[in-house]
Amino acid sequence: MPALAVGSDEHKATFCRVFVDTFHPYEVREVEWPALDADELARLRALPFWHEAVGSERTAAARVAAMADVEPDPVLREAIAMQAYEEARHADLVESLMRHYEIAVPDAFPQKPRDAEWGFLRMGYGECFDSFFAFGLFRIAADSGIFPRPLVQRFDGVMQEEARHILFFANWVAYRGLQLPYHLRPRFLVRRGLGASVQALARARTAMEMRDGTVNDDNFTMQVPPELGDVTLTKLAQICLDENERRLAPYDDRLLRPRFVPRLVRWALRTGGRNANGAAPDAAG
Ligand SMILES: [Fe+2]
Ligand SMILES: [Fe+2]
C-alpha cells in the first residue's frame, strides 16, 4: 500500500477509522467475575495498584472527554469521544472488580481540565509510558500466575485498548502539529515537548525512588511487585519492548507508532550495557 502523508486528510481518516473499527463492544454490568480460590483471591488483593488504577482511569476519562468536547472536526471527535468512553469503562471495570472481590474503592473523581489540549497532551504522553510498562508487567504477571489466570483474558482486552489509545495519540499529535496554522505551531511544539518531559521526569523520579526504596503510589505501572523480584530490569525492559511491538502489530502499518518510550528504553539498555561492561558512558547521557 502507498505510504500515508502525515498530516493529510487521508492520514486523519485512516488513524480515526482504524481506531473506530477496532472498538470492542461490551457492558461492564454484564461482566461476570469468576470465582477465585483462596490463593488467587489473596494474590489479587495483594496487588499494589488497584487504588491508583481506578484513579488513573477516571483522570484519563475526564481529560479525554474534555478534548472531545472542544474538538470541532467530527471525524476526530468521534474517535476521541470513543476513547473517553473506553477510559470511563476501564474505570468502571476496575471498580466493579474491586467491589466484587471486596477491595476498598476510592471515591475521588477528578474535574475536567480547563485547558483541554494541555490535559490531553499530558495524558497522552503519560499513557505512552504507563502502557509500555504495563504491557510487559501484565505479561509477566499473567505468565507467572501472580495475576489470577481466570481474569487474564478480561484485562488483556484492556491492555489492547491502551495499545489503540497510544497508537491514536502518536498519530493525532503528529497530525495536529501539521494542521495548525503556522503561527500556532511553535506553541504546540513547546507544549508537546513539555508534556513529554513532565511525564518522563515523573517516571525518572519514580525509578529513583524505587532504587532508594521510597516509592509512593504515583506512576503505578513503574512499580514492580516484590513477587517479581527475580525479573531483572534488563529482562523487564526487553519483555516490555517485545510486548509493545506485539500489541501494536495488528494495526495498519502505514500509521505512525509511539516511538518516544521504546527509543528511550533501548537507549537505556545500550547505555546500561556499556556502563556495566566498564566502557565510557554514551556521550548523549
Ligand atoms: Fe485506560
Ligand atoms: Fe487509555
Side-chain angles (χ1 to χ4, degrees), residues 56-57 60 83 86-88 90-91 127 158 161-162 165:
S56 296
E57 297 292 359
Q83 187 191 342
E86 291 178 3
E87 300 294 13
H90 291 169
E127 281 213 304
V158 172
E161 282 172 352
E162 296 300 356
H165 296 174

Side-chain angles (χ1 to χ4, degrees), residues 221-237:
T221 59
M222 297 290 283
Q223 294 180 48
V224 183
E227 296 88 333
L228 303 183
D230 60 338
V231 179
T232 63
L233 277 180
T234 305
K235 193 171 162 200
L236 173 64

Side-chain angles (χ1 to χ4, degrees), residues 50-128:
W50 294 118
H51 203 269
E52 181 62 27
V54 78
S56 296
E57 297 292 359
R58 285 173 183 167
T59 300
R63 289 183 178 175
V64 182
M67 191 67 207
D69 287 349
V70 300
E71 176 54 65
D73 182 313
V75 176
L76 286 166
R77 188 169 60 240
E78 181 191 13
I80 296 171
M82 182 177 277
Q83 187 191 342
Y85 171 79
E86 291 178 3
E87 300 294 13
R89 191 169 60 174
H90 291 169
D92 289 348
L93 185 74
V94 175
E95 188 175 330
S96 166
L97 172 142
M98 292 168 86
R99 291 193 194 285
H100 185 82
Y101 297 111
E102 296 175 341
I103 300 168
V105 178
D107 51 17
F109 279 85
Q111 302 283 318
K112 277 189 182 179
R114 277 207 297 260
D115 183 340
E117 182 191 79
W118 175 237
F120 193 64
L121 272 173
R122 277 187 62 180
M123 209 277 311
Y125 282 113
E127 281 213 304
C128 288

Side-chain angles (χ1 to χ4, degrees), residues 128 165-175 256-259:
C128 288
H165 296 174
I166 61 174
L167 180 73
F168 180 85
F169 180 74
N171 284 275
W172 172 86
V173 90
Y175 174 81
L256 299 173
R257 262 51 186 171
R259 284 172 305 193

